[in-house]
Amino acid sequence: MIFTDKRYILLKALKESNSWLSGTELSKSIGITRAGISKHVQALRKMGYEIETQTNKGIRYIASPNKVLPDEIRPLIEENSIVGSKFFFADEIDSTNKKASALAEDGTPDGTVVLAEKQTAGKGRLGRKWESPENTGIYCSVVLRPQLALPETALITFIVAIAISEAIRECCPTLQTQIKWPNDILVNDKKIVGVLTEASAEMQHVNHVIVGFGINVNTYAEHLPPRFIFPASSLAVESKHDVDRVTLAALCLKQLDFWYNCLNNGGADKIVERWKKLSTMIGRAVVVEQINSKIEGTIEGVSKDGALLVKDKNKTHVMYSGDVKYAGVASR
Ligand code: BT5
């Protein structure tokens, strides 16, 4: 993917140079006026970038803010083909899924990414809340426009969970992630990541799907909600060191691009195979709670369209939604 945004090109040039760059040279090489350069420098400073300017010397990059900013991620995902086609960033937002959904309705392209440093109304499933304290986590939603029939879109939650697991494994090699159907990623049986997939469809046609994920990265106990089973934790707590959020966010988007292309190109079998390897649920005794029912049994596997297969005394249940608890573990 080639990013042509002038502010991004200016920032990249400044970062790649260890010394002062002349404003006149920059304006020539980027193809904007000197006033244009000043305007972009002001905008970058407003975002928290430290950039120095001196009349005789020119312009110099000093440091980036501690934020998961699009211009920090872009250089790391230049090989992506769809995910990252466009970015939207906010320091504070109600919900990145809500914003992504509004952008999707306005026709934003496949692969548009929405990022925020803090959410005031982060959404979980079934009206639950996702705690999203500022400057510590990754709160991200991606607009996808898959060329798939409606039943196949169930695998979208799978590709997001696979992508994030692979990214965490690469970033924090000492941690073992486990995918818990349908939408959690656990480390040491603690919830680190939540994924929320929301589809807009008519009849059998999918308009778009919003995939949102929240990752507790450098978040500490006082900002995490109490949970009885699968308690909330973060990568920093589990790995005992802080994790670079930009690197991790870029790896997630890189992996998501790979698995999204796989899904669009008939790779359902490969996705289900990888999911099974990254989950530790197969063969475990569980209780699956749905709004009006409860099934107790053993997990046999997952179907090609994303359902959980749970076998009890009588039959194998094909479950498309529900909350899973391991049998024998006290309720939440
Ligand atoms: C989820 O729901 O796990 C999906 C969460 C998706 C959040 C992302 S953030 C970016 C995007 N924009 C949004 O508005 N949402 C998405 P669910 O399985 O229903 O789990 C929700 C439950 O997890 C809550 O009831 C709490 O018990 C717990 N919880 C809330 N915040 C948490 C956190 N930061 N870490 C761990 N657990 C949390």
Side-chain angles (χ1 to χ4, degrees), residues 93-99 114 116 119 121-133 138-142 180 182-185 190-198 210-216 219 223-234 322-323 332:
I93 205 166
D94 48 0
S95 150
T96 55
N97 259 41
K98 205 169 151 199
K99 179 67 190 177
V114 177
Q119 293 186 118
K123 294 196 282 180
R125 292 176 306 148
L126 308 167
R128 296 176 193 140
K129 202 176 169 213
W130 184 258
E131 299 296 336
S132 316
I138 295 174
Y139 314 115
C140 178
S141 300
V142 185
K180 178 173 159 284
N183 68 328
D184 291 348
I185 298 176
K190 293 177 195 146
K191 182 162 174 168
I192 306 278
V193 180
V195 177
L196 177 66
T197 311
E198 298 179 296
I210 308 297
V211 295
F213 53 92
I215 311 180
N216 301 324
T219 325
H223 292 120
L224 291 169
R227 276 168 63 94
F228 298 113
I229 57 163
F230 307 119
S233 187
S234 71
D323 280 316
R332 66 170 82 197

Side-chain angles (χ1 to χ4, degrees), residues 7 22 60 88 123 139 163 199 211 224-225 232 235 296 312 314:
R7 190 188 66 211
S22 124
R60 182 165 73 147
F88 177 90
K123 294 196 282 180
Y139 314 115
V211 295
L224 291 169
L235 295 175
E296 292 190 40
D312 67 7
N314 306 315

Side-chain angles (χ1 to χ4, degrees), residues 2-46:
I2 297 164
F3 300 110
T4 53
D5 180 74
K6 301 283 187 200
R7 190 188 66 211
Y8 170 67
I9 296 171
L10 169 65
L11 180 64
K12 206 171 170 211
L14 289 171
K15 278 178 153 189
E16 278 166 5
S17 161
N18 289 328
S19 55
W20 294 94
L21 289 176
S22 124
T24 315
E25 290 299 321
L26 277 169
S27 95
K28 252 194 240 154
S29 63
I30 298 171
I32 43 175
T33 59
R34 285 285 286 116
I37 299 268
S38 299
K39 199 185 83 194
H40 287 310
V41 168
Q42 303 258 336
L44 287 166
R45 280 186 179 145
K46 219 168 157 191

